[in-house]
Amino acid sequence: MSEAESPIVHKPNAMGVKRKGADKIRQIPINVEHVGQERLRKPSWIRAKFPGGPEVERLKGLMREQKLHSVCEEASCPNLGECFRVGTASFMIMGDICTRRCPFCDVGHGRPNALDENEPRHLAETVSNLGLSHVVITSVDRDDLRDGGAAHFAACVREIRALAPRMTIEILTPDFRGREEIALEILLQTPPDVFNHNMETVPRLYEAVRPGAHYGNSLKLLKDYKAACTKKVISKSGVMVGLGEESDEILQVMQDLRAHDVDMLTIGQYLQPSQHHLPVKRYYTPEEFEMFAAKGKEMGFIHVASGAMVRSSYHADMSAKEVL
């Protein structure tokens, strides 16, 4: 076979190669004894709507045309069909390859491609054309970048403000591990209406669930941004349940968030994306989610969305309208 006819072999760590499922998870030094074991049966209250239909395909096509990604698709969100059918989506910037390998998340891992300098403009044009009143912008982790991607977030906010000044903007950021100071300095120049960063789980489970993240640093990021912002900004965070934590541990996370001046909270049931991801240890009941919501109100959160199918950006437009 000549050199020209030789098949192309992608090295596992080559730039732009995305690892999913088992290929991603097996690199994580965690207990993987659950693979192949029978999963817990989903209860009757865990029901996702059909993720298809003309409006869903239209929105997917629009994002492909503009070279955009949504966390709804990349993270296999069970609410994709419901949200896409009403023309809402949470946009995921800086590509679809994450530098981390969190074993609860279905976003692909690898060495990301270079940033697309046209993405902020394409994003602004898309959300403006969709006629949205509120937009959620999140991202993959970009530990390969000096600022963790903060400048790209800022560029997206600037472009949207220029094209759709009346639109409210929510950014759901990574933790900017080791780059918090420079990231905050950049993000403070283009403040959103809602600053969101997810705690995800209780501190006891961080090593297994959020390898590379630090519970205290995530709390500090939320508090520091709100405290330093000259414009009034709402702070928000989200937690998953069902990974092996106790209810009292979730309540303590909620207390910690209030102690760090966080305003809004989402609590939802963790669902295992594949057999290779962390297993569901327990399904919480609707009554337990109602308890978390009631406790959150007592603690002083101005908005709590707590339910089995709740996700960080689920009905974010309605929540923002209520609060803002």
Side-chain angles (χ1 to χ4, degrees):
M1 181 181 291
S2 69
E3 185 177 339
E5 295 171 323
S6 299
I8 298 174
V9 177
H10 292 292
K11 295 180 180 179
N13 62 345
M15 182 177 287
V17 175
K18 181 166 62 172
R19 292 176 165 186
K20 297 270 285 185
D23 196 27
K24 166 187 170 179
I25 301 300
R26 67 165 145 250
Q27 302 174 59
I28 308 172
I30 62 169
N31 185 345
V32 291
E33 292 178 358
H34 65 272
V35 176
Q37 292 183 359
E38 187 177 354
R39 300 194 207 185
L40 288 181
R41 184 182 179 86
K42 288 182 183 177
S44 59
W45 57 85
I46 304 289
R47 290 291 179 269
K49 295 187 178 180
F50 174 62
E55 190 58 29
V56 173
E57 295 309 312
R58 185 187 77 84
L59 191 49
K60 285 183 178 181
L62 182 60
M63 285 191 286
R64 301 292 177 275
E65 183 181 318
Q66 294 282 36
K67 299 179 180 177
L68 298 173
H69 301 282
S70 73
V71 71
C72 321
E73 290 184 88
E74 299 302 329
S76 304
C77 179
N79 301 316
L80 183 150
E82 180 180 353
C83 294
F84 274 28
R85 269 193 291 276
V86 295
T88 63
S90 295
F91 294 90
M92 191 171 76
I93 60 174
M94 294 188 273
D96 60 349
I97 299 177
C98 188
T99 54
R100 299 195 197 171
R101 299 186 294 266
C102 297
F104 70 88
C105 178
D106 205 28
V107 174
H109 163 73
R111 288 180 60 199
N113 292 308
L115 294 178
D116 177 3
E117 62 181 17
N118 295 315
E119 184 176 49
R121 177 171 53 82
H122 288 160
L123 175 60
E125 290 170 351
T126 299
V127 298
S128 179
N129 291 337
L130 285 170
L132 303 182
S133 60
H134 182 79
V135 61
V136 180
I137 310 166
T138 188
S139 77
V140 289
D141 278 289
R142 290 298 301 256
D143 295 324
D144 58 315
L145 301 175
R146 180 175 174 272
D147 65 352
H152 205 72
F153 265 106
C156 289
V157 174
R158 275 195 303 272
E159 291 286 349
I160 293 171
R161 294 275 191 232
L163 276 183
R166 299 186 65 181
M167 188 180 300
T168 53
I169 300 173
E170 178 175 335
I171 60 172
L172 171 54
T173 75
D175 62 1
F176 303 111
R177 180 179 61 195
R179 306 162 180 81
E180 294 92 341
E181 286 189 19
I182 187 172
L184 287 182
E185 184 179 343
I186 293 168
L187 292 173
L188 285 168
Q189 297 170 22
T190 57
D193 298 283
V194 179
F195 181 80
N196 189 350
H197 172 65
N198 286 337
M199 299 302 296
E200 306 293 11
T201 190
V202 303
R204 178 174 60 85
L205 299 179
Y206 254 54
E207 186 176 354
V209 178
R210 289 190 73 194
H214 186 275
Y215 183 78
N217 288 352
S218 284
L219 284 172
K220 187 173 184 298
L221 177 72
L222 284 159
K223 185 175 183 178
D224 287 355
Y225 186 82
K226 185 178 179 182
C229 197
T230 54
K231 171 191 170 183
K232 182 181 178 182
V233 65
I234 301 295
S235 56
K236 178 179 176 181
S237 190
V239 181
M240 302 176 291
V241 298
L243 283 160
E245 74 293 323
E246 300 295 333
S247 294
D248 286 349
E249 291 179 288
I250 294 293
L251 291 172
Q252 184 59 57
V253 173
M254 294 165 64
Q255 291 279 14
D256 291 344
L257 286 168
R258 283 302 300 135
H260 286 74
D261 205 21
V262 173
D263 303 302
M264 299 177 69
L265 175 67
T266 58
I267 304 175
Q269 174 71 52
Y270 167 67
L271 298 176
Q272 187 180 15
S274 78
Q275 65 172 331
H276 304 285
H277 290 78
L278 291 175
V280 177
K281 297 291 182 69
R282 176 160 87 90
Y283 286 106
Y284 283 65
T285 65
E287 292 74 24
E288 287 175 300
F289 283 111
E290 288 175 9
M291 179 273 290
F292 287 134
K295 292 288 187 183
K297 289 293 180 127
E298 291 174 11
M299 292 177 191
F301 288 101
I302 59 175
H303 190 277
V304 180
S306 177
M309 303 304 287
V310 167
R311 298 296 180 266
S312 185
S313 53
Y314 183 56
H315 290 172
D317 53 342
M318 290 185 275
S319 302
K321 185 177 180 181
E322 228 178 275
V323 172
L324 296 171

